[in-house]
Amino acid sequence: MNEEAPLFKKQYYPITEKLFQYLEKYKRVTKTNVFYDDLLRFQGSIVVYDQKGEDTLWLRVFYNEFDRKEIDLSLNKIYTLLHSDGDERVLKHLTVDYIDYCGFGNSKPFRVKVRNILNDNYTHFYIKKADASRIFGLELEHILSPNRINFLVYESTLIEEHIVGIPGDVFLKEHLQKCTEAEKAQIAKEFVKFNERCMIGLLGDMRSYNFVVIPTYDYDHIVYKIRAIDFDQQCYEGSFKLYKPHLFKENFQFTELVKEKLEPDSIDQYQNEERSLLVKRLADSEERLTDLLAVMKSMMLSPTLHLEQLKKETYEFTKDKNFKNAKSMGEVMEAALNFMKRNYKSN
């Protein structure tokens, strides 16, 4: 199917005092000398092409010599905050190889590559304008999924670690045909589970380029996992369909793989398994989730038209009056999680 066209361009929702207090409580706040807006003052740029000579939609940006020295030092310090709790003893071994900028999409991120000159190991992280929607998405991913998210906030700047994996669209184009039939069946299973997490957690716009496929070698076979990498559309869309990855045309091959490799009973089994795991994760993070939902319920996170549409469609799907009575996207999210608690038992 073709996904519905958005009625509104996604706007930024600023960090409120309540959200800032939550971030402080759970050690997400830091200090840095470089802000997102500072990085926008680049002096020039060149297009970044991939190995096949195709435009990646990223620009490699350049700064004047004075600004670059200060920026590099600040970015290396950010690396230590993300990966070694601010231990600056390693700073002398770090160098910033490049800074890229992407004007495509909502977050318009900067991608930073930091390398350890002693061993040539490197990692990436991202600097973005802090948006409450994205922060809620990151936190819910941290709580509800099997993955942990490492990010920091300083005033209006968001710093995110890089999530390693093969972008879903690239995987479909370059890797899927090389998979064995058994591997394809395992990927289909993971897509079912991923679809379920996104729908229940109200994470929208999970087209193939907004998630990654992660292959891991385990003895004599490869285990595949699917993980979201874009959280801008958390609790924002009005159409319930836009929270279901299997309905996007960009994910058609994954959806077809599920139909080819899994029987209906197996699909039900994997959906129920994921729901049961979600309930267990809810129980394990009860205080944190309660705090997060309290902040979400105090904020406007989407246009009113989106809220009313989602309330109506989730009520029609569940027949749960808590969706119909919700007054905010935060209350819709709370209703979804409470529905899970009532209807599924943890393993």
Side-chain angles (χ1 to χ4, degrees):
M1 64 157 281
N2 290 329
E3 69 277 9
E4 299 177 14
L7 297 176
F8 300 91
K9 179 177 173 60
K10 174 70 171 62
Q11 69 181 81
Y12 281 95
Y13 293 94
I15 297 176
T16 63
E17 182 61 30
K18 283 187 177 181
L19 178 52
F20 183 78
Q21 290 172 358
Y22 171 90
L23 294 170
E24 275 199 315
K25 179 177 179 179
Y26 292 101
K27 311 300 182 186
R28 296 294 199 186
V29 176
T30 189
K31 288 186 178 180
T32 176
N33 292 325
V34 64
F35 295 85
Y36 176 85
D37 289 345
D38 294 329
L39 295 182
L40 288 172
R41 297 198 292 268
F42 51 87
Q43 302 295 304
S45 64
I46 59 173
V47 175
V48 178
Y49 296 97
D50 64 18
Q51 294 178 343
K52 297 181 178 179
E54 297 179 1
D55 188 348
T56 63
L57 303 178
W58 288 88
L59 297 174
R60 188 141 301 162
V61 298
F62 305 98
Y63 302 84
N64 65 52
E65 186 176 352
F66 176 79
D67 286 342
R68 181 61 192 250
K69 186 176 181 180
E70 183 177 354
I71 287 171
D72 282 6
L73 177 59
S74 295
L75 293 176
N76 285 332
K77 287 182 178 179
I78 287 173
Y79 171 90
T80 69
L81 290 168
L82 277 173
H83 298 287
S84 59
D85 201 25
D87 184 358
E88 296 188 357
R89 289 177 295 177
V90 300
L91 282 176
K92 60 185 177 182
H93 304 310
L94 302 178
T95 185
V96 176
D97 274 2
Y98 58 69
I99 303 170
D100 292 341
Y101 171 71
C102 182
F104 175 75
N106 293 314
S107 61
K108 295 180 172 57
F110 285 92
R111 178 177 63 193
V112 181
K113 178 182 176 182
V114 173
R115 180 167 54 89
N116 187 313
I117 59 177
L118 290 180
N119 51 36
D120 242 18
N121 285 331
Y122 66 87
T123 190
H124 294 89
F125 63 85
Y126 299 86
I127 295 185
K128 306 173 182 180
K129 183 178 178 181
D131 173 32
S133 297
R134 188 174 185 87
I135 290 172
F136 286 128
L138 290 164
E139 276 294 309
L140 285 167
E141 176 77 359
H142 185 81
I143 295 170
L144 300 180
S145 83
N147 310 303
R148 289 295 172 259
I149 295 284
N150 191 11
F151 74 92
L152 297 168
V153 175
Y154 181 50
E155 296 186 7
S156 61
T157 297
L158 173 63
I159 302 159
E160 289 182 37
E161 71 174 351
H162 174 64
I163 297 174
V164 176
I166 304 169
D169 55 338
V170 175
F171 184 85
L172 290 175
K173 185 179 179 181
E174 300 181 5
H175 299 273
L176 180 60
Q177 67 273 19
K178 301 174 186 176
C179 293
T180 66
E181 296 308 306
E183 288 169 348
K184 289 178 180 178
Q186 204 255 328
I187 293 166
K189 169 187 173 181
E190 288 304 311
F191 188 73
V192 169
K193 288 173 168 280
F194 176 70
N195 190 83
E196 202 68 14
R197 289 198 302 273
C198 293
M199 181 186 69
I200 294 167
L202 297 181
L203 179 59
D205 199 29
M206 279 297 106
R207 307 164 203 257
S208 57
Y209 49 77
N210 286 331
F211 60 83
V212 293
V213 179
I214 307 170
T216 304
Y217 287 86
D218 183 23
Y219 295 106
D220 59 347
H221 67 289
I222 300 176
V223 177
Y224 291 90
K225 298 293 182 183
I226 298 177
R227 184 174 179 183
I229 59 172
D230 192 302
F231 303 91
D232 288 334
Q233 305 293 319
Q234 177 65 53
C235 296
Y236 178 79
E237 300 292 355
S239 172
F240 192 35
K241 295 177 182 177
L242 298 179
Y243 298 102
K244 301 176 181 180
H246 75 283
L247 296 180
F248 285 108
K249 66 178 185 292
E250 291 85 351
N251 300 338
F252 176 77
Q253 286 179 265
F254 286 110
T255 303
E256 287 299 296
L257 202 60
V258 172
K259 293 178 181 178
E260 293 170 7
K261 296 297 179 183
L262 302 180
E263 297 294 331
D265 286 349
S266 294
I267 294 173
D268 289 342
Q269 173 193 340
Y270 297 141
Q271 288 172 332
N272 287 328
E273 285 179 5
E274 192 60 32
R275 292 166 188 168
S276 296
L277 288 171
L278 279 168
V279 173
K280 183 177 187 300
R281 294 178 196 128
L282 292 177
D284 290 342
S285 304
E286 187 172 0
E287 179 182 351
R288 186 172 190 147
L289 183 63
T290 299
D291 290 345
L292 184 66
L293 290 173
V295 180
M296 291 183 72
K297 290 187 290 184
S298 72
M299 298 179 61
M300 179 179 180
L301 294 173
S302 72
T304 302
L305 189 62
H306 284 193
L307 172 62
E308 294 304 318
Q309 181 184 2
L310 188 60
K311 286 168 53 177
K312 178 176 181 295
E313 293 184 9
T314 48
Y315 171 72
E316 290 173 351
F317 183 73
T318 64
K319 304 305 179 185
D320 185 336
K321 291 184 179 178
N322 288 309
F323 289 103
K324 183 189 291 187
N325 298 331
K327 296 180 176 60
S328 67
M329 280 294 191
E331 291 192 9
V332 175
M333 185 76 252
E334 183 176 54
L337 298 179
N338 285 337
F339 181 84
M340 289 291 303
K341 291 178 183 178
R342 289 194 302 272
N343 289 279
Y344 297 92
K345 294 181 179 180
S346 62
N347 292 329

